[in-house]
Amino acid sequence: MLRSRKRLLLLLSTLVSLLIVTALLYMLGMTYLEGQPRGFWRAFEWAGESLSTTGYGADSSWCHPLMIVYVVLVQFIGVFLVFLVIPIYLIPFLEERFETRLPKDAPKMSGHVIIFHHSPTVATVLDELKRAKIKTLIVEEEQAEARRLIEQGHSILYGNLDEGVLTRTYLDKARALIVNSTDDRNATTILAARQLGYTGEILALVENPYHRQPILLAGATAAYTPRHILGAALAGRASQKVSPTVAGIQHLGNKLQVTEVRITRESVLAGKTLSEAGLRQHSGVTVIGQWFGGKLITPPLPGMRLEPGGILVLVGAPESIRKFIELCAGTKELRRHGRFLVAGGGEVGSKVVELLTDAGEETLLIDNQPRPGVDILGNVLDTQILKQANIQDAQAVIVALSADTTTLFTTVIIKDLAPDVPVIARVNRAENVERIYAAGADFALSISQVSGQLLAWRLLGKETVDIDADLRVVKVSVRGMAGRHPDELGIREKTDCSAIAVERGNDLLVEFGEAFRFQDDDALYICGSAEATQKYAETFPQN
């Protein structure tokens, strides 16, 4: 029964009761106070005229004070009743009459993906499926959320499991079912789907890692813990020991190193293009990328602008790195020693601490709750707490808080206290990522992005969301290049790889002057993404 119908029945019963009671009291008053007895129907007529404020008929004058007070009281009740009817019944009736009816039956479809319960966790995968032109159907049990999703243009089905909502989803023709509610609700949904005979993929997003195995036993094809994977991604971005920015550089020993330097607003490089800066010619370092707005811009083309606040990724010999720092005033090398400050000791923050500690990094955990492993108990928004943690000496700060608004404000405070310390932020809602970057974060990743990558990889068969860069150093032969200069070959233009060093006997050459030429026995080290290095192999075959 609709809410407006329930209110209408309540209103009618209340009005009838009020009319009867008012009429009976009027009969008593007229009999014992005025000495002019009235029958029930005449009293009922008077009550209707008074309560509806339409005026009086035969009875319009009274003498006894108590009767006059009673009549005045009924008049005021009638006035208030008119105003009460509007909010109690009329407005809700109009809202239900004109608001969008929630669909309880899905349009006929096949090859679609069913998502049980919407949340920010599945926002990215919805976008990815839309781009792949795969239909989606969201089963939503909350009325307010269902209406919001309809306004956003999503195809939804309103209902719950107890009403047999899965039987109306064309489940037997679905490509996959994604369950994204609480763990117990997910298990119930999985069991219901399997009992209906569904044999396709069921992908579960699990809140508690300990529930992963029970979810699989309930019938899920795969179960993911996005918060743990988010913690791993944040730890990997923070520490070179967990996930090196450039894989394979360790094979060059101490001859070549990767360094990240921040371009401050006062830097002589700020605003220049890479070609204008001439870093290789002046210092012997090779720029292989630039972090800005959370993205690694690679390959670094000559016209790439060196952004104030950006972080350059450099490769070069130790002496070349030192020369670069000396020449380029206003650039600051990021620390590769010291503690990592982790703000927030929840599931994500605890995972970050665990991974960093396992990699041999030193951590300091700040939280306002006395959880296990918390080193400093206090509010991260308190500047005294951050100073107590020696934030200026931190290698980086990982903000793993549960509220995006707090994360944003924390980032602003950290950047005010320690502008050169990298801030790596966890974000809950994907739409807040840009705001966190605007607040000064160097890297921000939402749980929606993580879930989107996991689910899109499973459903589409490819990685569709980049969490972090995948740069690698590869040693290649220069067969067929002898007597030529690297710039003459157009390696970067043709393959998106950077030529960073040449091994000649026991020497490692990192500067390629005008007189430099490849020799037959040289080995070339190139740096680029997996796709770029593959492109190099195709463009410059080794055989």
Side-chain angles (χ1 to χ4, degrees):
M1 184 181 291
L2 292 175
R3 289 173 299 170
S4 60
R5 289 184 182 177
K6 292 180 180 179
R7 291 194 183 98
L8 177 59
L9 292 175
L10 177 63
L11 177 65
L12 290 175
S13 60
T14 302
L15 285 175
V16 171
S17 300
L18 185 61
L19 282 168
I20 293 172
V21 171
T22 305
L24 292 174
L25 290 174
Y26 184 73
M27 289 172 64
L28 292 172
M30 290 301 290
T31 301
Y32 296 104
L33 298 179
E34 295 291 335
Q36 301 177 27
R38 295 288 188 268
F40 174 77
W41 293 113
R42 187 170 176 180
F44 191 78
E45 179 187 6
W46 173 87
E49 291 170 344
S50 298
L51 291 173
S52 65
T53 69
T54 57
Y56 298 105
D59 292 346
S60 60
S61 179
W62 300 268
C63 298
H64 196 284
L66 287 177
M67 196 63 192
I68 293 172
V69 170
Y70 173 68
V71 170
V72 171
L73 180 62
V74 172
Q75 290 171 348
F76 274 101
I77 290 174
V79 172
F80 282 118
L81 191 62
V82 171
F83 290 102
L84 286 173
V85 168
I86 294 174
I88 291 175
Y89 173 71
L90 185 59
I91 292 177
F93 172 77
L94 292 175
E95 286 179 347
E96 290 188 3
R97 178 67 180 82
F98 294 106
E99 71 184 358
T100 304
R101 296 293 177 89
L102 292 176
K104 293 196 173 183
D105 290 296
K108 191 172 183 179
M109 57 176 64
S110 62
H112 56 296
V113 174
I114 302 169
I115 298 177
F116 184 80
H117 182 63
H118 180 270
S119 74
T121 309
V122 295
T124 298
V125 75
L126 280 169
D127 293 337
E128 294 298 329
L129 292 171
K130 184 178 180 180
R131 276 194 284 270
K133 297 182 179 180
I134 295 175
K135 293 179 181 179
T136 56
L137 178 66
I138 303 173
V139 177
E140 186 54 58
E141 296 180 304
E142 297 294 331
Q143 189 177 94
E145 181 67 9
R147 294 196 184 285
R148 190 181 70 83
L149 292 170
I150 287 178
E151 291 173 0
Q152 292 178 351
H154 293 292
S155 177
I156 75 116
L157 183 61
Y158 175 62
N160 57 56
L161 290 176
D162 298 333
E163 298 172 346
V165 68
L166 285 179
T167 61
R168 304 192 298 274
T169 60
Y170 294 96
L171 184 62
D172 57 324
K173 296 181 173 60
R175 178 175 186 148
L177 168 64
I178 298 172
V179 289
N180 178 45
S181 187
T182 58
D183 289 348
D184 57 334
R185 200 66 175 158
N186 284 345
T188 304
T189 307
I190 294 166
L191 288 169
R194 293 304 188 200
Q195 286 174 350
L196 289 171
Y198 181 63
T199 58
E201 282 200 317
I202 299 180
L203 309 179
L205 296 176
V206 182
E207 295 177 323
N208 189 328
Y210 294 107
H211 293 162
R212 186 174 178 276
Q213 189 59 30
I215 289 289
L216 291 172
L217 291 173
T221 311
Y224 303 105
T225 54
R227 288 186 180 87
H228 274 200
I229 298 169
L230 176 60
L234 295 174
R237 179 65 193 99
S239 171
Q240 294 289 312
K241 293 180 181 178
V242 176
S243 177
T245 303
V246 181
I249 197 74
Q250 62 274 17
H251 299 311
L252 299 178
N254 296 324
K255 297 179 180 179
L256 209 61
Q257 67 183 45
V258 176
T259 301
E260 292 179 307
V261 295
R262 186 184 296 282
I263 304 171
T264 65
R265 298 189 181 281
E266 298 77 26
S267 172
V268 296
L269 298 178
K272 290 184 178 181
T273 64
L274 191 58
S275 61
E276 290 171 347
L279 299 179
R280 181 150 204 161
Q281 297 91 319
H282 297 137
S283 63
V285 298
T286 301
V287 177
I288 59 174
Q290 177 181 209
W291 283 105
F292 188 71
K295 296 186 174 92
L296 181 60
I297 304 169
T298 184
L301 301 176
M304 182 183 74
R305 185 174 183 266
L306 304 181
E307 301 287 351
I311 298 174
L312 287 182
V313 185
L314 309 175
V315 175
E319 57 272 17
S320 297
I321 301 293
R322 286 193 294 271
K323 187 177 180 182
F324 169 86
I325 299 296
E326 293 170 1
L327 289 174
C328 301
T331 55
K332 296 190 176 181
E333 186 175 358
L334 300 189
R335 288 189 184 90
R336 289 304 174 201
H337 59 276
R339 290 188 296 192
F340 287 95
L341 300 189
V342 181
E347 194 172 337
V348 174
S350 299
K351 191 64 178 178
V352 171
V353 170
E354 177 189 334
L355 291 169
L356 290 175
T357 304
D358 289 347
E361 300 282 15
E362 186 181 357
T363 63
L364 188 138
L365 179 60
I366 305 172
D367 198 271
N368 58 3
Q369 300 293 328
R371 309 173 193 261
V374 172
D375 300 298
I376 297 181
L377 186 64
N379 191 338
V380 73
L381 296 177
D382 185 347
T383 55
Q384 294 304 315
I385 292 292
L386 293 175
K387 289 176 181 178
Q388 180 185 340
N390 296 320
I391 189 172
Q392 292 279 2
D393 299 326
Q395 191 172 159
V397 180
I398 299 100
V399 183
L401 303 172
S402 57
D404 289 349
T405 52
T406 312
T407 297
L408 187 147
F409 195 33
T410 302
T411 301
V412 173
I413 292 172
I414 293 170
K415 282 300 177 182
D416 180 55
L417 291 175
D420 297 324
V421 174
V423 174
I424 301 163
R426 164 220 177 153
V427 186
N428 292 305
R429 303 185 72 94
E431 59 266 29
N432 291 331
V433 168
E434 291 304 320
R435 297 187 184 99
I436 304 296
Y437 279 128
D442 296 288
F443 185 78
L445 183 62
S446 74
I447 196 167
S448 176
Q449 288 173 281
V450 170
S451 301
Q453 181 178 23
L454 291 170
L455 297 174
W457 176 84
R458 182 74 184 231
L459 295 171
L460 304 177
K462 60 179 180 179
E463 191 172 346
T464 56
V465 180
D466 293 329
I467 285 182
D468 209 344
D470 180 24
L471 292 177
R472 59 188 64 187
V473 169
V474 178
K475 181 179 180 180
V476 296
S477 169
V478 297
R479 189 177 296 112
M481 301 179 186
R484 304 181 71 180
H485 192 279
D487 293 344
E488 178 187 346
L489 296 168
I491 293 174
R492 180 173 289 177
E493 293 77 8
K494 293 178 181 177
T495 68
D496 292 340
C497 288
S498 300
I500 61 172
V502 169
E503 187 178 64
R504 181 171 292 170
N506 294 324
D507 297 326
L508 191 69
L509 311 177
V510 295
E511 296 185 32
F512 308 139
E514 292 184 4
F516 177 87
R517 293 293 184 273
F518 283 124
Q519 296 181 7
D520 287 329
D521 295 331
D522 287 348
L524 173 65
Y525 288 94
I526 59 170
C527 180
S529 65
E531 294 79 9
T533 53
Q534 177 61 33
K535 192 175 180 181
Y536 178 92
E538 295 169 357
T539 307
F540 300 100
Q542 302 296 293
N543 296 325

